[in-house]
Amino acid sequence: MIRSPFFYVGDKYKLMPQLRMKMPCYIGDYIEPFVGGGSSFLNTTSKRYLLNDIDPYVVRLHLELGKYVDDIDGLYKKIFKIIDDYGLSCSFKGRTACEELKKAYPKTYYAKMNKEAYIALRNDFNKDKSDMLKLYILLIYGFNHMIRFNNNEQFNLPVGNVDFNKNVYTALTNYLSFVKGKDIVFSNEDYIDFLSKLKFNSDSYIYFDPPYLISMSEYNKLWNPEKEQELCNYLDYLNKQGVRFGITNLITHKDKINSTFVNWAKKYSVYDISSNYISFNDNTIKEKSKEIFVTNYGERKI
């Protein structure tokens, strides 16, 4: 399994073994309107990948990393230069917090060590947002690996208790190895605008991982009940056109029920997902939360 080098909260890395078993055996065009960090497409076999996200920075990050498929060493040279120039920790290279700091702050020593350097990097990025590698490093070192901007378009995520480690190196290297030579096209549009421009055929497959209506993640803040109903209606439209799709969604969470999606899903094939949904706010596993995978093909399971 390949994990996205963005380490998004809520990405589908851990779910892909389950989801792949429910996806079609052959996919010509793999289409993803809410691509996010990309763990889903990174673990799917297809002839062509058509990927979209409404967040322009997400798309720009994918495109930036993709420039280095033939120059991985050059990418790491640039990344480590930024890390070194700002004096950030880098456990991958053996530069970690001292024992005194680890003892004093056992759960937050990286945040304590990197705070000033991280803020300096963040301030410089906000002055000129053209350097996507700086944003990528902010994403890696930031709290919960989020991409968050305020109303003034200033990146405002605080430092997290993380740094560039072996897991980041492995994920980034695997990402570049996967995308090399692949037919991949990224778009930055509203999902309906993106899909309305495509021509579907019998081997097209759309995987939807939309914002979860009843959760509190940063990337869900623009989603609302009207958008949820709009999505359900559009999925019905795709079904009438004979387009294969699958969609994951959260149907119960913190005593909330996504009744709109639950009622809509009754018309299709529904599969339970063993997800252990993790709360955005406190990173704890919510046992009462339930995710499902819904398809318009295959036998009905629930």
Side-chain angles (χ1 to χ4, degrees):
M1 300 301 296
I2 300 175
R3 185 167 190 179
S4 165
F6 297 176
F7 295 92
Y8 254 28
V9 172
D11 82 1
K12 293 300 177 285
Y13 168 67
K14 292 183 179 180
L15 301 186
M16 285 311 295
Q18 299 175 69
L19 299 182
R20 288 200 307 186
M21 293 179 63
K22 306 300 181 185
M23 289 183 176
C25 295
Y26 177 78
I27 299 174
D29 286 343
Y30 177 83
I31 303 164
E32 194 167 355
F34 306 93
V35 68
S39 283
S40 303
F41 88 84
L42 290 169
N43 293 287
T44 307
T45 301
S46 176
K47 291 179 63 177
R48 183 170 65 154
Y49 299 83
L50 304 174
L51 311 172
N52 177 76
D53 202 278
I54 197 169
D55 188 328
Y57 289 103
V58 170
V59 175
R60 290 172 66 186
L61 282 169
H62 279 293
L63 293 175
E64 180 67 22
L65 295 181
K67 294 177 183 177
Y68 295 92
V69 292
D70 295 314
D71 188 19
I72 296 179
D73 290 340
L75 173 61
Y76 285 125
K77 184 177 180 180
K78 290 183 178 180
I79 287 176
F80 291 138
K81 185 178 187 306
I82 295 172
I83 291 173
D84 293 344
D85 285 349
Y86 284 90
L88 292 160
S89 69
C90 185
S91 55
F92 178 78
K93 296 174 68 176
R95 189 167 66 248
T96 184
C98 64
E99 290 303 317
E100 290 79 4
L101 199 61
K102 290 181 179 180
K103 290 179 181 179
Y105 304 98
K107 295 184 179 181
T108 59
Y109 54 85
Y110 275 132
K112 295 292 182 181
M113 179 180 179
N114 290 322
K115 183 176 180 180
E116 291 186 9
Y118 180 87
I119 291 174
L121 174 60
R122 189 178 66 187
N123 289 340
D124 287 346
F125 171 75
N126 282 326
K127 293 175 184 176
D128 179 7
K129 300 184 182 67
S130 63
D131 192 339
M132 287 297 101
L133 290 185
K134 285 184 177 179
L135 178 59
Y136 179 67
I137 295 170
L138 289 170
L139 180 69
I140 295 303
Y141 284 77
F143 177 74
N144 273 351
H145 307 294
M146 294 187 294
I147 299 177
R148 193 181 76 182
F149 288 79
N150 61 24
N151 292 333
N152 295 320
E153 281 299 306
Q154 297 292 292
F155 184 83
N156 66 350
L157 192 70
V159 67
N161 192 49
V162 287
D163 79 343
F164 195 103
N165 55 33
K166 184 178 180 180
N167 290 335
V168 178
Y169 179 85
T170 299
L172 185 50
T173 300
N174 288 342
Y175 175 93
L176 294 172
S177 297
F178 179 87
V179 301
K180 183 176 181 178
K182 297 289 195 306
D183 186 357
I184 300 176
V185 180
F186 283 98
S187 300
N188 170 218
E189 300 180 86
D190 174 79
Y191 76 97
I192 291 182
D193 293 337
F194 163 68
L195 292 171
S196 65
K197 297 176 182 178
L198 302 181
K199 292 184 178 180
F200 306 111
N201 50 49
S202 60
D203 60 11
S204 296
Y205 180 71
I206 310 176
Y207 170 60
F208 291 84
D209 183 26
Y212 285 177
L213 179 65
I214 56 176
S215 74
M216 298 297 293
S217 295
E218 173 69 19
Y219 49 81
N220 295 351
K221 63 184 181 181
L222 298 179
W223 204 253
N224 55 43
E226 290 73 28
K227 296 290 289 184
E228 189 80 1
Q229 185 62 60
E230 176 190 65
L231 174 60
C232 290
N233 294 341
Y234 193 77
L235 289 166
D236 286 338
Y237 164 77
L238 290 174
N239 183 60
K240 290 179 180 179
Q241 303 303 309
V243 181
R244 299 178 300 174
F245 66 74
I247 177 171
T248 44
N249 211 332
L250 187 67
I251 58 171
T252 62
H253 182 58
K254 292 184 176 181
D255 298 322
K256 296 180 181 179
I257 300 176
N258 185 346
S259 57
T260 297
F261 193 81
V262 170
N263 292 330
W264 169 85
K266 292 177 181 178
K267 296 177 285 186
Y268 300 99
S269 299
V270 183
Y271 306 90
D272 281 329
I273 298 174
S274 301
S275 66
N276 289 327
Y277 187 82
I278 297 177
S279 170
F280 159 75
N281 292 313
D282 56 18
N283 284 328
T284 56
I285 293 175
K286 301 302 179 184
E287 295 180 357
K288 293 184 180 180
S289 299
K290 181 178 180 181
E291 282 181 271
I292 59 174
F293 183 49
V294 182
T295 73
N296 66 337
Y297 54 87
E299 296 182 2
R300 187 176 182 82
K301 297 297 180 182
I302 294 179

